[in-house]
Amino acid sequence: SEYGSTRDAFERRDADASREAHRQERLKKALPEHHVEKHGGTASDYLKCIVFGGMDGIMTIFALAAAAAGAGANYQTVLIFGFANQLADAFAMGFGEYVSSSAERDNAVAERDRELWEVENCFDAEVQEMIDLYIKRGLSEEDSTRIVQIMSKNPLTFVDFMMVDELGLIVDVSDKWRPAKQGLVMFVSFVIFSCIPLLAYLFGGPAYSKDVLFAACVGSTALALAVLGAIKGYLMDANILLSAIVMIFNGAVSGGLSFAVSQLANSLLPGQAEMME
């Protein structure tokens, strides 16, 4: 539309455009296909797993390929160590995401159970606690009391507000398989994107020189990092171009260090070079 989204209006600091964008969003939500306003949620969490798993996969395998190139390794060596390292690191990333998400969910479930018990058994104390909280945040005692009285009419809704306002926990506790699914998404994303630095060696290995293969590896890696960096910037409401440049810089430094250290080690251990020819 002429006014764009609320995010665009915020970027321009245009209050009139922001009001119009909010009006347009209210009209859209009145239609059957626009019941839910999209602010992230489950789909966003999975998308973040894809992006961060992909970035880690690309960076890890590119650093390995750069080290192999610095040591003068042939394409078979790059592929063998690349794919072996890929699966090990993908499992570590996926399992780490599962453990982290499980701990976050378990903590949220425990806190929610505690708040539910307190609402059932110490209702007055919980109401007063929330009133005090809103007063500390600058609301008057009258307004705080009115707000809490309205929220507390529904105990489950009241607990949801306490989870966010009092504890700062915004976790979907309804899907017990969510941590496992996030770990799986992270694993698959790592495996798929980590193949990008190896594509040149996989399809052009016998036909091209080591320098050409490594140059193709650098180019494909830079492009993939730029795309994922741009997506990361979009998800984080950051500057998309700057985010892409930062990711490329990160890859360049990481790969450059791997290449330089590998060349240094190769010069100090000349006998190892022949083993990779």
Side-chain angles (χ1 to χ4, degrees):
S1 70
E2 175 185 357
Y3 289 92
S5 67
T6 52
R7 178 181 296 174
D8 294 334
F10 170 73
E11 293 292 338
R12 301 195 304 271
R13 301 299 192 274
D14 189 332
D16 291 335
S18 179
R19 293 189 187 95
E20 178 61 20
H22 277 91
R23 189 183 73 82
Q24 294 292 339
E25 288 179 2
R26 287 196 300 273
L27 292 176
K28 288 180 180 179
K29 287 190 289 183
L31 300 176
E33 65 271 22
H34 291 285
H35 281 308
V36 179
E37 185 177 2
K38 297 180 180 178
H39 282 297
T42 301
S44 178
D45 288 339
Y46 288 131
L47 186 56
K48 288 177 182 178
C49 286
I50 293 173
V51 171
F52 289 113
M55 287 192 299
D56 284 335
I58 292 172
M59 295 290 293
T60 299
I61 302 304
F62 176 63
L64 186 148
N74 56 37
Y75 80 94
Q76 294 100 326
T77 301
V78 176
L79 290 175
I80 291 171
F81 284 98
F83 283 118
N85 195 62
Q86 174 197 61
L87 292 177
D89 284 347
F91 175 79
M93 286 291 299
F95 189 72
E97 176 64 24
Y98 166 73
V99 171
S100 173
S101 297
S102 294
E104 184 180 14
R105 182 183 182 278
D106 291 345
N107 177 62
V109 169
E111 290 294 335
R112 183 178 175 80
D113 289 343
R114 179 179 65 82
E115 293 292 354
L116 281 171
W117 183 89
E118 290 179 345
V119 167
E120 292 173 358
N121 295 275
C122 313
F123 182 77
D124 293 343
E126 288 299 301
V127 167
Q128 188 59 51
E129 188 175 49
M130 290 299 291
I131 292 175
D132 293 341
L133 177 65
Y134 288 133
I135 291 175
K136 288 181 180 179
R137 293 184 178 180
L139 296 179
S140 67
E141 182 175 358
E142 180 182 357
D143 288 342
S144 300
T145 302
R146 186 181 300 113
I147 290 171
V148 175
Q149 285 176 342
I150 293 172
M151 292 190 307
S152 61
K153 290 180 179 180
N154 185 317
L156 292 179
T157 301
F158 188 39
V159 169
D160 288 337
F161 276 105
M162 286 193 291
M163 289 286 289
V164 176
D165 291 343
E166 182 184 356
L167 303 176
L169 295 175
I170 308 176
V171 179
D172 180 12
V173 299
S174 61
D175 185 1
K176 66 178 182 178
W177 295 107
R178 187 175 182 182
K181 289 187 285 188
Q182 286 183 251
L184 180 60
V185 169
M186 179 76 76
F187 173 84
V188 172
S189 177
F190 189 104
V191 169
I192 291 175
F193 283 97
S194 62
C195 289
I196 293 176
L198 299 175
L199 290 177
Y201 295 96
L202 186 62
F203 294 105
Y208 297 97
S209 67
K210 298 174 185 177
D211 291 340
V212 171
L213 292 174
F214 183 58
C217 172
V218 170
S220 61
T221 297
L223 179 60
L225 287 175
V227 172
L228 285 176
I231 296 174
K232 175 177 175 287
Y234 174 78
L235 291 176
M236 299 300 177
D237 287 334
N239 185 292
I240 293 177
L241 178 60
L242 180 60
S243 181
I245 292 173
V246 168
M247 285 307 303
I248 294 174
F249 175 77
N250 188 14
V253 172
S254 158
L257 287 173
S258 295
F259 185 87
V261 171
S262 182
Q263 276 201 325
L264 177 61
N266 194 42
S267 65
L268 297 176
L269 304 169
Q272 300 299 315
E274 289 75 10
M275 296 176 61
M276 293 185 289
E277 293 293 341

